[in-house]
Amino acid sequence: MTYPFISGGVTAARGFTAAGVHCGIRKNRTKRDLALIVSDRPATAAAVYTKNLVKGAPLLVTKRHLSDGTARAVICNSGIANTCAFDGEEKAETMCAMTAEALGITANDVIVASTGVIGPSLPLEPVRAGLPALASSLSREGGADAAEAIMTTDTVKKEFAVSFELGGIACVLGGIAKGSGMIAPNMATMLCFLTTDAAIAAPLLRKALAETAEDTFNMLSVDGDTSTNDTVALMANGAAGNAPVTEENEDYHTFLAALRQVSTAIVRALAADGEGATRLLECRVAGAKSDADARLAAKAVIGSALFKSAMFGADANWGRVLCALGYSGAELDVRGVSVAFRSPAGHLAVCEGGAGIPFSEDTAKAVLSEKEITVEISLSDGNASAVAWGCDLTYDYVKINGDYRT
Amino acid sequence: MTYPFISGGVTAARGFTAAGVHCGIRKNRTKRDLALIVSDRPATAAAVYTKNLVKGAPLLVTKRHLSDGTARAVICNSGIANTCAFDGEEKAETMCAMTAEALGITANDVIVASTGVIGPSLPLEPVRAGLPALASSLSREGGADAAEAIMTTDTVKKEFAVSFELGGIACVLGGIAKGSGMIAPNMATMLCFLTTDAAIAAPLLRKALAETAEDTFNMLSVDGDTSTNDTVALMANGAAGNAPVTEENEDYHTFLAALRQVSTAIVRALAADGEGATRLLECRVAGAKSDADARLAAKAVIGSALFKSAMFGADANWGRVLCALGYSGAELDVRGVSVAFRSPAGHLAVCEGGAGIPFSEDTAKAVLSEKEITVEISLSDGNASAVAWGCDLTYDYVKINGDYRT
């Protein structure tokens, strides 16, 4: 089932407004650096966080605030990550308190996030100065400004939303995300804010988000570096008026499918906009012994620097795919591996039974010169499958990261 | 104890000769592509291989030939890896038989290796045609030609040797190696051929090699891609005349120290010549809870694309070091992490107690602009330590690998 995509992103769902302004954490005055998302009524909320042992201070504060399963607002700055700074938690708590005061809600209902350079202490004066303008510009059309305000090295905004029905009632789920480098979410991660007007109990919201993250955010790698600040937060405010989802019934599965669809769209957009990327890479593994084996195999191929470089060069170097499968940790029989490349320009089989087969280099060049490339891997070990997403490794990745901090 | 380095590489030890010629597997006629190393008498021999499930055919054949713990010769070609080809093992066996015939030894005493593109079938006609010239040019001075013949994208030859004494008898251990990309040896790997004139029993030779590989070859990463063909082979022919080492006595430990010294020198040379590299990076971790934790931590930092890119840009972005430590899988207390950079230009502390400390950007630029950079990480979790080696990530890595095959 595929639901129709609609416009509006994080403010597509009823009862949500958002805004984004430049407050001064970043020197570049043309770049918005502070985002706010608000529900006009209490919402159930859930989040998943990076498994990196080094955690940004905002994550620790958000985790405490979400322990009751409810939230009303998200405040997020870009420019400085508020991580590995001696005063991080205090600053993150103060940021929530200032936001709560501006909105007339309690600090415990504020989700806080930061993204940018790790290390420096976060200046709060720009946040304090920017909050009045931010709060007064909240609107149903503000999602795009919020999406821009959370960007770092991203070159495009990531906003998606779908509409679906629960018990005959039209509901919406949408969100915004940022991320371009330091991307290899582990277990449950990403800087992504999702909203829905569906009514759903907090425990089920948590379950749906964790399950979705496993197949979407956790199957993404731009550079293998798992960030310290990855967070996916989801607020459900019930403004749609559906009968609240309180058990794993048909409505729950409809909700899960909508969440998965938006999350997959976001992950593909993040991969396509990976730092320096010129191509979106999708790796589809079928015939694996188990889900875990399929995931390991797909992620190893997507994460291989050699495979990524070959894709940048539109070079059908399938030996690097076999090599990555071999060190992936997945249990597999090499003699049963087939590999093909697919893109809008065509389909190209390059390996069968673990050995190369003849192919046209001209066709290969055509297939691999597209913006979106799928590498299809067929194993002979079972029936499990997985999909992972990434991007090519380019000169610009090195350029962007050789001098990001200064 | 540090032993004196001597010249001669893989032929520095008595009783070993070597040669390298262009036989025609590579199209470029100025690049040698076939190497031969021979002991003038039977030698005990041991090898360690890649843990990649996809293994080059030569490894399977070498493993069979070394099951009796003896060898006389190494034959190695560059250009084609003889991996994932339908006729790989047959070709590797034939290559050994042809070599044995040219030398008047048995095929079972030949170690075979191949390196280059994965997939294509290895043409044996060039090998057959090149063997007479190869065998007739074997000499004590031929180590350098052999070192050149095994190179792929390497820009410099890697040859090292040391002299040491066993029971008052002067012994030599030396070797050659190749490797520049697809380098993240796992458990016991690298294309490296070592020779010694020391007499040592096969079981101890195996043990010494395995132990050394753990701290040297396995602590190296250029791009995180574990090759299908990595092999380190060591022949000990006893030409020095020492009393054979048959137990773990003082002589064994002397031998182990010499082996470790040569292996470390080789690993540093491989890292410095990593594809596109402009800097050799060394990561020293101290104060870890266990050896395993120390290794995980050091390898995560050395393997981080973001850290490697920052080093290319001489940017003291220590937050990326903390980030890599956090996702390394090592058990550690973030609040006890200190980080400093060291190079011939000076020493720069950047992080203490898990948080940043003020430092001069000018000093940072000077320290990080050198050819060899050490990142020193101090943990507060125990007494274990580890060292890992790698290189920066540069435009040239992408350039080299965007179009390697074609």
Side-chain angles (χ1 to χ4, degrees):
Chain A
M1 179 69 199
T2 304
Y3 304 105
F5 280 104
I6 60 173
S7 63
V10 80
T11 46
R14 278 156 287 190
F16 288 98
T17 53
V21 300
H22 171 83
C23 75
I25 294 170
R26 289 176 175 280
K27 301 230 166 66
N28 176 357
R29 296 185 60 85
T30 66
K31 168 72 177 74
R32 296 174 206 272
D33 56 11
L34 191 62
L36 181 61
I37 304 161
V38 180
S39 170
D40 65 3
R41 67 202 78 187
T44 56
V48 287
Y49 313 92
T50 186
K51 296 285 179 185
N52 195 313
L53 286 183
V54 180
K55 284 186 174 58
L59 281 69
L60 307 177
V61 171
T62 294
K63 213 167 189 170
R64 279 202 295 271
H65 290 189
L66 287 186
S67 58
D68 62 357
T70 65
R72 284 285 298 275
V74 174
I75 182 84
C76 175
N77 74 279
S78 61
I80 290 178
N82 192 17
T83 300
C84 295
F86 65 97
D87 56 1
E89 279 192 61
E90 186 193 322
K91 291 278 180 76
E93 282 287 12
T94 305
M95 209 163 138
C96 290
M98 295 189 313
T99 304
E101 199 187 332
L103 299 175
I105 63 175
T106 70
N108 191 52
D109 279 340
V110 179
I111 292 167
V112 60
S114 298
T115 180
V117 181
I118 297 173
S121 177
L122 178 69
L124 286 184
E125 272 321 304
V127 178
R128 190 185 310 276
L131 263 169
L134 191 66
S136 67
S137 59
L138 282 167
S139 79
R140 291 301 307 279
E141 290 71 43
D145 286 353
E148 186 194 317
I150 65 173
M151 287 163 60
T152 51
T153 52
D154 307 62
T155 66
V156 295
K157 285 177 273 197
K158 286 94 181 177
E159 303 184 90
F160 295 95
V162 295
S163 69
F164 56 101
E165 285 191 4
L166 293 182
I169 303 291
C171 297
V172 168
L173 186 145
I176 56 174
K178 64 80 52 174
S180 191
M182 201 175 270
I183 294 199
N186 176 26
M187 295 312 296
T189 55
M190 199 65 275
L191 211 52
C192 170
F193 306 116
L194 300 166
T195 56
T196 181
D197 46 25
I200 176 167
L204 286 178
L205 196 67
R206 268 186 222 115
K207 180 167 184 187
L209 184 57
E211 200 170 311
T212 299
E214 197 70 23
D215 286 337
T216 56
F217 300 107
N218 293 353
M219 294 304 285
L220 166 68
S221 176
V222 165
D223 52 16
D225 277 282
T226 300
S227 161
T228 53
N229 286 42
D230 293 339
T231 302
V232 181
L234 166 58
M235 292 192 286
N237 71 2
N242 63 300
V245 182
T246 56
E247 55 185 78
E248 292 187 41
N249 53 15
E250 196 188 324
D251 280 358
Y252 173 77
H253 289 288
T254 299
F255 180 80
L256 191 61
L259 177 57
R260 191 183 175 119
Q261 188 177 328
V262 169
S263 298
T264 301
I266 286 172
V267 162
R268 288 177 59 92
L270 291 167
D273 193 33
E275 285 175 341
T278 67
R279 305 187 207 292
L280 163 64
L281 306 179
E282 180 175 79
C283 178
R284 307 190 76 90
V285 171
K289 197 172 174 189
S290 71
D291 286 353
D293 288 311
R295 286 183 183 135
L296 282 172
K299 285 201 80 166
V301 172
I302 273 308
S304 157
L306 287 169
F307 172 69
K308 288 154 64 77
S309 299
M311 290 300 98
F312 172 56
D315 180 10
N317 197 325
W318 60 268
R320 293 176 179 173
V321 174
L322 271 280
C323 178
L325 290 174
Y327 66 67
S328 67
E331 258 194 75
L332 54 90
D333 181 349
V334 179
R335 294 163 303 181
V337 178
S338 297
V339 179
F341 293 103
R342 184 185 293 278
S343 81
H347 180 267
L348 180 79
V350 290
C351 167
E352 273 175 21
I357 54 175
F359 60 84
S360 149
E361 291 288 351
D362 289 344
T363 307
K365 211 72 187 173
V367 169
L368 299 180
S369 293
E370 295 285 326
K371 291 274 172 213
E372 294 192 16
I373 313 287
T374 299
V375 49
E376 297 175 342
I377 298 166
S378 163
L379 306 176
S380 61
D381 308 296
N383 297 311
S385 62
V387 187
W389 296 273
C391 60
D392 54 346
L393 176 60
T394 70
Y395 303 131
D396 281 351
Y397 177 86
V398 178
K399 186 173 182 184
I400 291 163
N401 287 300
D403 198 16
Y404 171 64
R405 193 181 53 96
T406 48
Chain B
M1 178 69 195
T2 304
Y3 303 106
F5 280 104
I6 60 173
S7 63
V10 80
T11 46
R14 278 157 288 190
F16 288 97
T17 55
V21 300
H22 171 82
C23 75
I25 294 171
R26 287 174 175 282
K27 301 231 164 67
N28 175 357
R29 295 186 61 85
T30 65
K31 169 69 177 73
R32 297 174 205 273
D33 57 11
L34 192 62
L36 182 61
I37 305 162
V38 180
S39 170
D40 66 3
R41 69 201 77 188
T44 56
V48 286
Y49 312 91
T50 186
K51 296 284 179 189
N52 195 311
L53 285 184
V54 179
K55 284 185 176 57
L59 282 69
L60 307 176
V61 172
T62 295
K63 213 166 187 172
R64 281 202 294 271
H65 289 190
L66 287 186
S67 58
D68 62 357
T70 65
R72 284 285 297 276
V74 175
I75 183 81
C76 176
N77 74 278
S78 61
I80 290 177
N82 192 16
T83 299
C84 296
F86 65 97
D87 57 0
E89 279 193 61
E90 185 193 323
K91 292 279 180 77
E93 281 287 9
T94 306
M95 207 165 141
C96 290
M98 295 189 313
T99 304
E101 198 186 334
L103 299 174
I105 64 175
T106 69
N108 191 51
D109 279 341
V110 179
I111 291 167
V112 60
S114 297
T115 179
V117 181
I118 297 172
S121 176
L122 179 69
L124 286 184
E125 271 322 303
V127 178
R128 191 187 307 277
L131 263 170
L134 191 66
S136 68
S137 60
L138 283 167
S139 79
R140 293 301 305 282
E141 290 73 42
D145 285 353
E148 186 194 317
I150 64 174
M151 286 163 63
T152 51
T153 50
D154 308 62
T155 67
V156 295
K157 283 178 274 199
K158 287 90 182 181
E159 305 184 89
F160 294 95
V162 296
S163 69
F164 56 102
E165 285 190 6
L166 294 181
I169 304 291
C171 297
V172 168
L173 186 147
I176 57 175
K178 65 79 53 174
S180 192
M182 202 176 270
I183 293 198
N186 175 25
M187 295 311 295
T189 55
M190 201 61 275
L191 211 51
C192 171
F193 306 115
L194 300 165
T195 56
T196 180
D197 47 25
I200 176 166
L204 287 178
L205 196 67
R206 269 187 222 115
K207 182 170 182 181
L209 185 59
E211 200 170 311
T212 299
E214 197 69 23
D215 286 336
T216 57
F217 299 107
N218 292 353
M219 294 303 287
L220 166 67
S221 176
V222 165
D223 51 18
D225 277 282
T226 301
S227 162
T228 54
N229 286 42
D230 293 340
T231 303
V232 181
L234 167 58
M235 291 192 286
N237 70 2
N242 64 300
V245 181
T246 56
E247 56 186 82
E248 292 186 41
N249 54 16
E250 195 188 325
D251 279 359
Y252 173 78
H253 289 287
T254 299
F255 180 81
L256 190 62
L259 177 58
R260 191 185 173 115
Q261 188 176 327
V262 169
S263 299
T264 301
I266 285 173
V267 162
R268 288 176 59 93
L270 290 168
D273 193 33
E275 284 176 340
T278 67
R279 307 188 206 290
L280 164 65
L281 306 179
E282 180 176 79
C283 179
R284 308 189 76 90
V285 170
K289 198 172 174 193
S290 71
D291 285 353
D293 288 312
R295 285 184 185 136
L296 283 173
K299 286 201 78 167
V301 172
I302 275 304
S304 158
L306 288 168
F307 173 68
K308 289 155 62 78
S309 299
M311 291 299 97
F312 172 57
D315 180 11
N317 196 326
W318 60 268
R320 294 178 179 174
V321 174
L322 271 278
C323 177
L325 291 173
Y327 67 67
S328 68
E331 259 194 75
L332 56 88
D333 181 350
V334 178
R335 295 163 302 181
V337 178
S338 297
V339 178
F341 293 103
R342 183 185 293 280
S343 81
H347 179 269
L348 180 78
V350 289
C351 168
E352 273 175 22
I357 54 176
F359 61 84
S360 150
E361 291 287 350
D362 289 345
T363 306
K365 211 75 185 170
V367 168
L368 298 181
S369 293
E370 295 286 325
K371 290 274 171 215
E372 295 191 16
I373 313 287
T374 299
V375 50
E376 297 176 341
I377 297 166
S378 165
L379 306 177
S380 60
D381 308 294
N383 297 311
S385 62
V387 187
W389 296 273
C391 59
D392 54 348
L393 176 61
T394 70
Y395 302 131
D396 281 352
Y397 177 86
V398 178
K399 186 173 183 184
I400 291 164
N401 287 301
D403 199 16
Y404 170 64
R405 193 182 53 96
T406 47

